[in-house]
Amino acid sequence: MEKKKTDEAPKSGITKQAWDKVDSQAVDLYTLTNKNGVEVKISNYGGKVTSWITPDKSGAKSNIVLGFNNPNSYTKDVPYFGALIGRYGNRIAGGKFAIDGKTYTLATNNGKNALHGGNKGFDKVIWTAEPIVDSVSALTLTYLSKDGEEGYPGNLKVTVKYTLTDADELKIDYTATTDKATPINLTNHTYFNLSGDLSSTILDETIQINADRYTPVNSELIPTGKLEPVKGTPFDFTKPMAIGSRMSQVPGTPVGYDHNFVLNTSDTTMHQAAVLYDAKSGRQLEVSTTQPAIQFYTGNFLDGKLIADSGKPINQHTALCLETQHYPDSPNQPAFPNTVLKPGETFHSTTVYKVSVK
């Protein structure tokens, strides 16, 4: 997250560079730049957003996401920095679910539960990349998740398109089809720190989440099945609140938020999910989506053991995630919105992350 300032006129477009090898396979890094000089780097390794360079209120540019300059820095100990998540984002209880009476057993990688697609989810595979040279910078990634991969049924064809607009928006379009019924919950796991400074936590940043309800969880972060009102609880972000102001009231260890918020919408049109603001830098992040929920995670499991390229430790609450999604454990929760994709159907969702300065 080092700052850089330049007087050169930005060149909008997309460039590609070789980015070392992962498991003996070559991976690439793509740089999307818009007319304002905002720059987002994305790799075909896990679809990772590795860097997002954008100016603060004084015009100084810095990186507002957690990421590394080398793909081999993304070891098994790195918790999904910037990555595409699938087949199923979040947790599935016991690593099991049933469709049409048949039980499927998944790889369990979070205690006895399945998390973010398993041992080798979409965050750890190499996608086929196609840069799009158009009026705006865009990158299309495709991946075929084969029948039985990580225990999931069906050959699932997934396409994710990243677009960096001249309105300083990173738009993510997800599309998928399958030849067998399978649960699907695609998201992106970028960690944001709007200050651009790893020595600052996100506790003083303010957030508003347009959700009157959330899904309480048990000690393993599996939803209880209930939808509880946020009013009168530390989960009430219906008005902008400092993230750290009530964090000590949130049950569980380590301390912090790692909860699914049920958005105030009954349809799949674009709607605002959350607004994040950092007063020191003046940066604001607005999240809009067609999805019914958003996971608000405050980097609770970051513990300083990971070291950024700058040499600074990545400490607890250094960054946060705003993962648009369906509810966790939906395949085992009949009252939750359906996440099963069937043959002949097409899954599609869109999420937009817009950065501005106030």
Side-chain angles (χ1 to χ4, degrees), residues 49-343:
V49 176
T50 69
S51 169
W52 188 332
I53 307 292
T54 186
D56 64 10
K57 61 187 176 184
S58 66
K61 292 182 178 179
S62 54
N63 182 15
I64 60 167
V65 303
L66 295 185
F68 298 107
N69 292 329
N70 188 286
N72 292 294
S73 297
Y74 292 87
T75 65
K76 63 181 176 60
D77 297 320
V78 175
Y80 308 98
F81 285 4
L84 292 177
I85 303 296
R87 270 185 208 194
Y88 201 92
N90 222 303
R91 292 166 176 84
I92 295 179
K96 291 182 188 294
F97 62 87
I99 297 177
D100 298 329
K102 182 176 180 181
T103 297
Y104 294 90
T105 301
L106 306 174
T108 50
N109 59 327
N110 185 242
K112 63 183 181 183
N113 305 310
L115 173 67
H116 290 333
N119 292 320
K120 190 174 182 180
F122 291 0
D123 62 295
K124 296 179 183 71
V125 302
I126 297 172
W127 295 63
T128 300
E130 181 185 350
I132 298 171
V133 181
D134 206 341
S135 57
V136 292
S137 305
L139 178 69
T140 297
L141 300 174
T142 54
Y143 178 67
L144 173 62
S145 175
K146 292 183 178 178
D147 186 20
E149 184 174 292
E150 296 296 309
Y152 288 92
N155 293 292
L156 184 76
K157 293 180 180 178
V158 185
T159 300
V160 178
K161 182 182 178 183
Y162 284 105
T163 305
L164 178 62
T165 75
D166 286 334
D168 298 343
E169 301 162 324
L170 185 63
K171 181 182 179 186
I172 312 177
D173 289 293
Y174 306 86
T175 307
T177 57
T178 184
D179 59 5
K180 286 183 187 175
T182 184
I184 183 172
N185 193 20
L186 304 176
T187 191
N188 176 280
H189 210 297
T190 293
Y191 285 71
F192 292 96
N193 181 324
L194 294 186
S195 75
D197 180 3
L198 277 182
S199 58
S200 297
T201 71
I202 46 83
L203 299 180
D204 291 332
E205 293 184 10
T206 60
I207 193 167
Q208 180 176 3
I209 303 176
N210 296 320
D212 293 332
R213 297 175 298 168
Y214 77 109
T215 51
V217 292
N218 64 18
S219 61
E220 296 178 346
L221 299 174
I222 299 292
T224 63
K226 297 178 180 177
L227 304 185
E228 295 283 358
V230 299
K231 191 172 183 179
T233 77
F235 302 97
D236 188 351
F237 292 101
T238 51
K239 293 179 180 176
M241 295 287 293
I243 290 167
S245 60
R246 297 163 300 169
M247 191 178 276
S248 62
Q249 301 171 37
V250 178
T253 306
V255 66
Y257 295 93
D258 193 3
H259 294 77
N260 174 64
F261 288 76
V262 179
L263 299 174
N264 296 336
T265 181
S266 58
D267 57 33
T268 56
T269 58
M270 266 321 247
H271 45 269
Q272 188 189 79
V275 180
L276 181 69
Y277 177 64
D278 177 64
K280 283 185 282 189
S281 68
R283 291 188 185 96
Q284 177 174 279
L285 176 70
E286 180 183 350
V287 185
S288 301
T289 188
T290 59
Q291 291 279 62
I294 191 166
Q295 186 84 5
F296 175 41
Y297 171 56
T298 50
N300 312 330
F301 291 96
L302 300 173
D303 57 9
K305 291 178 182 174
L306 293 173
I307 305 299
D309 291 332
S310 64
K312 292 180 180 178
I314 302 173
N315 294 316
Q316 188 181 50
H317 310 313
T318 290
L320 61 86
C321 303
L322 292 166
E323 305 155 69
T324 58
Q325 61 177 10
H326 270 66
Y327 307 175
D329 198 37
S330 287
N332 296 311
Q333 305 269 4
F336 286 1
N338 176 50
T339 57
V340 175
L341 180 68
K342 296 180 179 178

